[in-house]
Amino acid sequence: MWAALRQGGCSSSSFPRIVQTFKSPVSRTQGYLASGARFCSTSGPERGADKHSIAIRRLRSPVTWLSAAATLGVLYGAYEIQYRQKAYREKSAGRPDLGGPFELLDTEGNTVRDTDFHGKWVLLYFGFTKCPDICPQEMEKVTTVLNELEAKGQHVQPIFITIDPARDTAERLKSYFAESDYHKKFLPLTGSFEKVKAACRSYRVYFTKPTPEEIKAGDYLIDHSIISYLIAPDGQFLEYYGKSKTAKEMESGMSTLIAGWENEKYWRDLLPKPIANTFLGPPEPPRLPRQEMPKMPTKKQTPAEATPAA
């Protein structure tokens, strides 16, 4: 091409070949670009299809994230069932048989029965207002515990049952609790000695009975067990707390029991009975009312048996 130009120009016939020569690299480049575009346009869907097929193969494989999660869920469910059933057996076997009906009087002279508190959490304490130190300390501890529970939204009705009905009259109880700094929800109860004794027997409360001379003198102390009893809303005894428990320990234990009992009741009311029994264990059977042992009739003595031997 350059030789033709040096020879004096280019003819009309040679000019197209020169132009074609200049255009050929551009054409080749355009061809390469077109081929690349065709490659890109066809390889995209192919790669997408490859990814789709790989995902399908992974889902069809025996081990996937989905199956692993399901397996772990089944294993955890089985563990939870066994744990709850074991806890239920331990709870039922280790709980003492305490509690029962009572019928006493409040400071206004109204009859108060244990069934009046069904649907509420109740904390029972047995004591007497002439107690010099132990009873006030315990009721101050109970007041602290109840205030902490109320801050969490857990409300408990405290009840004080006197073991000294001879001195703890309705008027005495009313003035005593009105002047104290105990929790304002404390409900003091009294009654006849037989009614108080029956309530104490239901919770196995020990107390000494004053002699007639001590009652007449009016100055005596009563030795008694120092225990608070937690009663569930269904009227069943749940737990007891002795003098050795601190306010913090008592509050923590009561809060855990209240939350656990209410959570279990929620799920039992929500789930069908077979499913609830599978996961939570069978419900505790209702306790039969405690009955007094019948007294054996005394044998009548014959005159010969009544006569003392010589």
Side-chain angles (χ1 to χ4, degrees):
M1 177 185 68
W2 299 111
L5 289 174
R6 282 195 299 268
Q7 290 175 3
C10 59
S11 63
S12 60
S13 60
S14 62
F15 184 76
R17 290 196 301 272
I18 296 171
V19 174
Q20 184 67 29
T21 303
F22 277 105
K23 290 176 63 177
S24 58
V26 177
S27 301
R28 285 196 296 271
T29 303
Q30 291 176 348
Y32 295 152
L33 292 175
S35 300
R38 287 193 300 272
F39 174 78
C40 292
S41 63
T42 57
S43 60
E46 290 176 358
R47 286 200 299 270
D50 291 341
K51 290 182 179 180
H52 185 65
S53 61
I54 290 172
I56 293 177
R57 287 198 300 272
R58 287 179 179 174
L59 287 175
R60 290 177 178 175
S61 63
V63 179
T64 63
W65 288 110
L66 216 56
S67 62
T71 302
L72 290 176
V74 171
L75 292 176
Y76 177 77
Y79 164 78
E80 191 71 14
I81 291 174
Q82 293 180 356
Y83 173 79
R84 289 185 177 275
Q85 289 179 347
K86 180 181 177 182
Y88 167 79
R89 289 192 295 268
E90 292 177 353
K91 178 181 68 174
S92 301
R95 182 179 299 168
D97 184 19
L98 297 177
F102 60 80
E103 183 177 323
L104 300 167
L105 300 174
D106 63 10
T107 57
E108 302 298 329
N110 301 314
T111 301
V112 178
R113 299 178 178 86
D114 61 298
T115 53
D116 297 336
F117 303 99
H118 286 184
K120 297 181 180 179
W121 288 96
V122 173
L123 190 66
L124 287 178
Y125 181 77
F126 294 81
F128 63 108
T129 61
K130 293 287 187 178
C131 182
D133 47 17
I134 299 299
C135 291
Q137 292 173 3
E138 286 299 296
M139 287 190 288
E140 288 175 359
K141 181 174 73 174
V142 167
T143 298
T144 301
V145 170
L146 297 182
N147 289 334
E148 293 291 332
L149 290 174
E150 288 180 353
K152 297 181 179 180
Q154 297 173 325
H155 300 276
V156 180
Q157 171 65 56
I159 297 178
F160 176 89
I161 298 179
T162 181
I163 57 173
D164 186 17
R167 293 183 296 181
D168 285 342
T169 61
E171 293 77 12
R172 165 71 182 171
L173 290 174
K174 187 175 183 179
S175 61
Y176 177 80
F177 279 90
E179 297 170 0
S180 69
D181 293 330
Y182 304 141
H183 199 281
K184 297 306 178 183
K185 289 174 62 178
F186 253 114
L187 178 64
L189 300 178
T190 186
S192 66
F193 180 80
E194 292 301 323
K195 294 287 187 180
V196 170
K197 182 180 178 181
C200 292
R201 187 183 298 113
S202 296
Y203 289 90
R204 300 182 186 178
V205 176
Y206 160 81
F207 70 99
T208 57
K209 181 181 178 180
T211 63
E213 292 77 15
E214 291 175 331
I215 295 177
K216 185 177 181 179
D219 186 16
Y220 55 88
L221 295 178
I222 299 177
D223 187 19
H224 64 96
S225 53
I226 309 166
I227 295 176
S228 299
Y229 302 86
L230 180 63
I231 312 301
D234 59 358
Q236 299 296 325
F237 162 79
L238 199 60
E239 188 58 279
Y240 67 90
Y241 304 94
K243 185 177 180 296
S244 61
K245 291 286 186 181
T246 64
K248 183 62 179 177
E249 292 172 339
M250 187 173 174
E251 180 271 328
S252 177
M254 289 179 61
S255 180
T256 301
L257 287 174
I258 291 173
W261 189 93
E262 292 180 347
N263 182 61
E264 180 175 339
K265 183 178 184 302
Y266 170 81
W267 286 109
R268 288 195 184 277
D269 293 341
L270 181 66
L271 297 175
K273 187 176 180 180
I275 297 178
N277 291 344
T278 300
F279 283 92
L280 303 175
E284 188 174 355
R287 301 177 189 177
L288 297 175
R290 186 177 298 172
Q291 298 179 353
E292 297 291 336
M293 293 295 294
K295 295 182 180 180
M296 299 298 293
T298 57
K299 180 182 177 182
K300 294 182 179 181
Q301 294 181 334
T302 62
E305 294 175 338
T307 303

